[in-house]
């Protein structure tokens, strides 16, 4: 069983799943819902990260999805299953890291669950609001593609692009957006596929010290991938054009200066 | 480190935590938020339960908290970290059980996360609405206490008391409510303590085949514990009077016909 095949099966039963966050209406408000797990020995090794680093990242990752939808995060719930090695000092450090980031973005941590298991798992649930949620499926033929920074050099304590995402949501020419968590190759494939388009990359900005394969396939960049219609005379600082979307016979196909880029991402090197 | 001592430390940093669900305002709507983990070898053993049973219960447990607050559940997100033994057939069964219960209560499963670890964990996040959220801290001296059924005989596929909870929320004489997940002794202590009152039990309804200690301390009843002011000529079917709340010098103290009942619950037999 591959994750992709199972997610396809699941998607048929749960038609709402597809964007970086779920979008639901509560009263007259468009509400974003997101959940994301951070797991020992999958996403981090305790000996290599401080407790505060783990807490920071457990919140930063789903925050990046709220950012990609142009949302404003409001509430968080934290489920934590601790491991036999977990001490009270570690837990305190974990919440230090998490609550510092929450405070920076005015997020209230309003609940959670605490239990124990063999490998530590932190599962963070976020509730946000969006005036115009930015989706993956709404890009148009001819839209230009952008990323919000160079790719390929993963930073553990990255800054979720919340202010930038909210600015993009106010720009009616921005047609689609998502965050780059699994690598440009796979994530651009997903955006193009969701919009029934092909992508033509002309430039992949590579972070100093990284290389092209890393920028395309390694993931965990947590920059935003943007599709936007028409010229953009004054893009926000850091935004870099990388190509365009076109009609084509193979929705989801990505070409880099004529060569096909396979939709292969981080931790999924076996299949598409 | 005990769970209770850590939760006390945490509660000081997160003053919103305390009721069965978090209550937040989104627009003009009072929204209930709840998350709950179901963990292999803590809450179930795979060989003893079908996949559908696990899926059912992963949703039923947090639903009971929505019920206790008088809420109407609307949206769910499901985080699942699968174990090495997990097959695609098991996953399908898990979602069969979960989605059948979701469908019964008109809950839309709108998202989730899927990863892997050594012991399976299902973490279910729920969003609901409540016109008048029923809390623990608002009971009054002299209120009578009730439970919604006999205690002590845990049923794996219990029915969350959603319709009953919503009916209680419409009754202005109902002053407080919570669900019985950790046993009447500990949960009644919590409600009385939160309301700065003592409790006097006159009757503990014991499920046929169970015994008093089980009814008091074993937990996982998932009935509702209700505090209500004044006489109740026509209580809903199944509701059983068990005693009353009084002023006292030791908030949270529970007496059963004069004898102190220690606030000891399921899986916490070491301390209060």
């Amino acid at each position: 069983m591959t994750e992709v095949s199972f997610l396809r099966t699941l998607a048929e039963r749960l038609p709402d799943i597809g964007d970086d966050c779920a979008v639901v209406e509560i009263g007259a408000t468009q509400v974003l819902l997101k959940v994301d797990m951070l797991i020992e020995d999958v996403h981090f090794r305790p000996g290599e990260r401080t407790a505060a680093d783990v807490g920071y990242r457990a919140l930063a990752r789903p925050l990046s999805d709220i950012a990609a939808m142009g949302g404003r995060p409001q509430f968080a719930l934290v489920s934590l299953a601790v491991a036999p090695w977990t001490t009270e000092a570690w837990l305190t450090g974990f919440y230090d890291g998490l609550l510092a980031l929450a405070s920076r973005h005015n997020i209230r941590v309003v609940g959670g669950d605490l239990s124990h298991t063999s490998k530590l798992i932190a599962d963070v649930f976020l509730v946000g609001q969006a005036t115009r949620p930015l989706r993956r499926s709404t890009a148009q033929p001819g839209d230009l593609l952008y990323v919000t920074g160079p790719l390929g050099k993963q930073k553990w304590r990255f800054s979720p692009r919340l202010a930038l995402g909210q600015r993009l949501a106010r720009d009616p020419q921005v047609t689609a957006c998502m965050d780059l968590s699994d690598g440009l190759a796979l994530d651009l494939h997903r955006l193009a596929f969701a919009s029934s388009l092909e992508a033509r990359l002309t430039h992949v900005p590579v972070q100093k010290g990284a290389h092209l394969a890393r920028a395309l396939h390694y993931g965990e960049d947590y920059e935003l991938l943007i599709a936007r219609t028409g010229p953009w005379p004054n893009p926000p600082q850091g935004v870099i054009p990388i190509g365009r979307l076109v009609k084509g016979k193979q929705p989801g196909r990505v070409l880099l200066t004529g060569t096909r880029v396979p939709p292969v991402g981080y931790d999924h090197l076996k299949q598409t």
Side-chain angles (χ1 to χ4, degrees), chain A:
Chain A
M1 176 181 62
T2 65
E3 183 184 342
V4 170
S5 79
F6 178 69
L7 287 178
R8 278 198 194 120
T9 310
L10 191 58
E12 288 163 17
R13 303 176 74 183
L14 309 172
D16 293 315
I17 293 174
D19 283 301
D20 286 353
C21 304
V23 184
V24 302
E25 289 198 1
I26 294 180
T29 307
Q30 294 200 79
V31 173
L32 304 181
L33 304 175
K34 179 67 191 180
V35 71
D36 188 84
M37 290 183 283
L38 198 75
I39 304 179
E40 177 185 349
D41 290 349
V42 176
H43 302 102
F44 73 97
R45 292 181 192 281
E48 296 173 6
R49 300 290 171 189
T50 67
D53 280 346
V54 173
Y56 181 99
R57 194 164 169 100
L59 176 59
R61 281 164 34 111
L63 272 182
S64 181
D65 292 291
I66 299 277
M69 303 281 289
R72 182 166 60 84
Q74 294 183 288
F75 308 108
L77 289 89
V78 181
S79 283
L80 195 60
V82 303
W85 55 261
T86 312
T87 61
E88 191 156 343
W90 194 96
L91 277 174
T92 302
F94 172 88
Y95 280 99
D96 284 343
L98 189 149
L99 292 173
L101 181 60
S103 167
R104 195 176 306 163
H105 296 289
N106 294 311
I107 299 163
R108 277 172 55 204
V109 178
V110 295
D113 192 12
L114 184 65
S115 191
H116 60 93
T117 184
S118 53
K119 304 274 185 186
L120 188 138
I121 294 192
D123 194 23
V124 174
F125 175 80
L126 288 178
V127 180
Q129 291 192 17
T131 310
R132 181 174 80 99
L134 300 172
R135 298 176 182 273
R136 299 179 184 183
S137 58
T138 42
Q140 299 299 315
D143 282 355
L144 298 179
L145 293 165
Y146 304 85
V147 291
T148 55
L151 308 177
K153 199 164 182 188
Q154 293 74 25
K155 192 179 169 195
W156 185 264
R157 282 198 180 228
F158 68 89
S159 294
R161 302 289 192 194
L162 285 157
L164 185 49
Q166 289 160 28
R167 176 170 165 184
L168 297 173
R170 290 192 297 270
D171 178 347
Q173 287 172 265
V174 171
T175 57
C177 189
M178 69 183 292
D179 83 325
L180 291 170
S181 54
D182 290 336
L184 180 64
L186 180 55
D187 286 332
L188 176 54
H189 159 76
R190 288 170 172 155
L191 186 144
F193 187 82
S195 294
S196 301
L197 298 170
E198 293 190 13
R200 299 285 182 268
L201 289 171
T202 51
H203 170 62
V204 177
V206 179
Q207 176 77 251
K208 204 177 158 182
H211 51 74
L212 182 64
R214 196 173 179 94
L216 284 172
H217 300 296
Y218 272 37
E220 310 213 331
D221 297 294
Y222 298 106
E223 298 291 350
L224 303 184
L225 170 64
I226 305 160
R228 188 179 182 279
T229 302
W232 204 353
N234 293 302
Q237 205 187 348
V239 167
I240 304 164
I242 59 167
R244 65 167 59 227
L245 292 162
V246 297
K247 284 187 183 173
K249 290 182 177 173
Q250 294 181 45
R253 188 164 65 157
V254 177
L255 300 182
L256 171 58
T257 58
T259 305
R260 183 157 184 268
V261 179
V264 172
Y266 182 73
D267 256 8
H268 302 271
L269 299 169
K270 293 188 301 298
Q271 86 291 313
T272 63

